[in-house]
Amino acid sequence: MNFKLSEIVGHMKPSEIRELLKYATSNDIVSFGGGMPDPSTFPKKEIREIIDDVIEKNSDQALQYGNTAGLDTLRAELKKFVSRKEGIETDDDKIIVTAGSQQALYAIGRIFTDPGDPIITESPTYVGAVSAFNANAADMIQIRMDENGIVTDEVERRITDLEGKGRKPKFIYVIPNFQNPTGVTLSLDRRKHLLEISENHEIPIVEDNPYGELRYSGSKIPSIKSLDRNGNVIYMGSFSKIMSPGLRLGYIVSSEEVTNTVNLLKQALDLSTNTLSQFIAYEYLKRNIIDRQVPKSIEIYRNKRDVMLASLEKYFSDVGTWTKPEGGMFVWATVKGDINTSKMLMSAVRKGVIYVSGPAFTADNSHTRSMRLNFTFPENEKLIEGIKRLSEVVKAEEAKISNQAENKI
Ligand SMILES: Cc1ncc(COP(=O)(O)O)c(C=O)c1O
């Protein structure tokens, strides 16, 4: 039969990354495409010990349905964790555990926006946020970034302009630390300015911080939520990059009104987040494994970042420019010539290297000359080989374009 799907389905677009992951498993291909942690950073031994203990002592609860808001003990640990790491003072009932911060993004989109409502995001922004906000048919207004993050003067101008047309944005979504996809960090001044804008215009800020713990150089900058005196900031965290993404755990720290409303939505979505995963995360924090584990990941990733940056310097300088992230998982590279990275992708796959092209991170298919390169997943030799291949692909593409131009003359 011809199913008559909802109109909202028409706003969802397939993710280039999901398609690319098919190639990522082939051994000959260097994949800069996914946003995956290095599996050697997974605390396998510790997780096995925790699971053994939990099954022995708490299996009746751990294998049972759980509270929609999340395990009480985990929320109590999270309260301490965000205070210790991010200077965020909150209460257990202002925290809700979610199935990864991806679910948090969908939920926030769902509870704040009606179809067509404007929201402000960075340009480019996290591809999963594009999916989550598209799935709610929100109107993403994307604002330019520079080396200090989203250009807050433009945010303010744009909001004033939208308000003049009776279209107040429902929230401002930012990834302040080592942004996905650019790797750029929002400066302290801009964080303060964003808060000022939020207060003056009464627009909440959604602060998504999955990479905050993964800093390899430079100094930590206070979270926006820790600077917030008026409860304007909705903060999101994730266990994906500091423990394991397969356990699917994230959380929101906000007001009771927000967490209660997300709770209602979760009752419709999944009743509760995976209980066993929550027990694991609770013990991971409680036993303080996290403070031994994350420094190990930082060592590995700092080295990989440096290998990627050195390879770019060596092979890519004549064809493009790139960001130099102080943490996280991504470098954002932009080619100098008039090359469309989406169109170039199949040539890159044939040459044995993949990336995610710039337009995937936008609602308007801009950033056509850019691409996101992940440095945490490939091994060191592959990082070097991949950048070498990439620069050859770009050079071949440049040659193709200039041949075409000559043929036209
Ligand atoms: C900025 C950002 N937010 C949210 C997520 C979703 O993470 P998860 O659902 O694994 O917690 C990611 C994943 O890569 C991300 O980069």
Side-chain angles (χ1 to χ4, degrees), residues 11 15 17 33 52 108 114 134 149-150 152 196 205-206 232 267 282-283 345:
H11 292 263
S15 152
I17 295 176
D52 280 349
I108 292 300
D114 291 305
N134 273 346
I150 191 167
T152 45
E196 228 176 85
I205 295 172
V206 178
N232 288 21
Q267 290 171 34
Y282 163 66
E283 293 292 340
L345 189 55

Side-chain angles (χ1 to χ4, degrees), residues 39 113 124 215 370:
T113 60
R215 177 176 275 284
S370 297

Side-chain angles (χ1 to χ4, degrees), residues 243-376:
M243 183 173 71
S244 140
L247 294 172
R248 306 305 303 127
L249 280 182
Y251 55 93
I252 298 173
V253 183
S254 183
S255 66
E256 273 178 71
E257 185 187 9
V258 168
T259 53
N260 287 342
T261 316
V262 172
N263 190 313
L264 282 180
L265 179 64
K266 261 183 84 71
Q267 290 171 34
L269 284 176
D270 61 3
L271 301 178
S272 80
T273 307
N274 183 321
T275 325
L276 182 57
S277 288
Q278 293 189 68
F279 268 90
I280 297 170
Y282 163 66
E283 293 292 340
Y284 187 67
L285 294 178
K286 178 85 186 152
R287 297 180 191 189
N288 209 13
I289 299 167
I290 189 162
D291 280 357
R292 296 193 293 279
Q293 197 63 31
V294 171
K296 289 187 210 163
S297 305
I298 289 176
E299 274 304 299
I300 294 170
Y301 292 157
R302 178 187 292 120
N303 180 258
K304 288 190 172 202
R305 175 202 63 174
D306 292 346
V307 169
M308 179 174 268
L309 291 179
S311 308
L312 283 162
E313 199 65 55
K314 184 161 176 195
Y315 298 111
F316 208 77
S317 303
D318 42 349
V319 293
T321 56
W322 58 92
T323 56
K324 298 183 178 62
E326 294 191 331
M329 298 191 157
F330 307 106
V331 166
W332 182 248
T334 303
V335 294
K336 287 179 186 164
D338 192 18
I339 289 172
N340 182 313
T341 54
S342 306
K343 290 191 184 144
M344 187 178 76
L345 189 55
M346 266 335 281
S347 312
V349 171
R350 277 194 289 273
K351 191 91 188 161
V353 60
I354 54 181
Y355 56 81
V356 186
S357 52
F361 306 95
T362 70
D364 60 1
N365 289 321
S366 56
H367 293 287
T368 52
R369 287 170 46 240
S370 297
M371 56 194 138
R372 188 190 76 176
L373 306 176
N374 165 263
F375 58 80
T376 57

Side-chain angles (χ1 to χ4, degrees), residues 34-36 98-105 122 125-129 173-175 177-181 208-211 236-241 244-246 248-251 329-330 372:
M36 292 191 287
T98 55
S101 45
Q102 187 62 39
Q103 186 182 53
L105 282 170
E122 294 147 321
T125 191
Y126 166 50
V127 63
Y173 169 69
V174 287
I175 307 152
N177 295 311
F178 329 122
Q179 197 239 17
N180 182 358
D208 186 10
N209 189 26
Y211 304 105
M236 289 176 187
S238 169
F239 281 94
S240 291
K241 312 297 169 6
S244 140
R248 306 305 303 127
L249 280 182
Y251 55 93
M329 298 191 157
F330 307 106
R372 188 190 76 176

Side-chain angles (χ1 to χ4, degrees), residues 30-50:
V30 180
S31 174
F32 296 136
M36 292 191 287
D38 182 331
S40 74
T41 65
F42 298 152
K44 295 167 195 157
K45 182 170 122 314
E46 290 81 357
I47 288 182
R48 188 194 305 138
E49 283 166 8
I50 292 175

